[in-house]
Amino acid sequence: MKKTSQTGLRPDSRKRAPKAGLPRAADRIRSSARDLFYHQGIRAVGVDAIVAEAGVTKPSLYRSFASKDELAAAYLRDYELEFWRRFDAAAEAHPGDPRAQILAYFTGLAQRSGQPGYRGCGLTNACIEYPDPDHPARQVSVVNKQAVRRRLVDLARRMGARDPEALGDGLQLLLEGAYVSSQIFGADGPVRHLADAATHLIDASLK
């Protein structure tokens, strides 16, 4: 009978064990694409840069993702999860108070815009990069923006706004304006007044 180690692993298993804790190639690709696409733009980043950053080969990338466009869509789906985590965290911090929920998210956004490397919303940026309505990246982004619009209108309705759609759309305009203006002016620009502007808009909509 072939001897095994004291741990019960066969010799070939012992050799593979250290790799068990390493991220899969697909996960490394997604992580690298997320960083590169967000900070440099999707169009500006080629497949060569992604595989070099991830430490994988092109065949590995194309085994996990059919094309760069599909990888871009996967990046945006990951980004969307991050967005909703932040949005929901603001809501959970103020249960039953829709006004405080949206103001908490806007306050957090204004603070994040001052962090190094902040480039607005990756989903908004993708919409600007890809005007083609059939592009996978744009489709992911548009679905998210539509969901955000519904959520904001619902918050406005729960606040008791006279015209919930008008208030919801106004809040979304403030949100998108913050994403873009923060990339132009930084944290000391208009985004520093984001929560105050939202407060005034809400107050005017409730009178």
Side-chain angles (χ1 to χ4, degrees), residues 18 30 34 43 66-67 85 87 121 129 169:
R30 286 175 90 111
R34 195 261 187 249
R43 285 185 180 276
S67 64
R85 276 196 291 268
F87 202 96
C121 175
E129 284 197 82
D169 284 349

Side-chain angles (χ1 to χ4, degrees), residues 77-92 105:
R77 284 190 287 269
D78 291 343
Y79 189 96
E80 183 180 21
L81 289 175
E82 296 175 18
F83 167 82
W84 285 120
R85 276 196 291 268
R86 291 193 184 101
F87 202 96
D88 291 340
E92 291 165 5
Y105 180 77

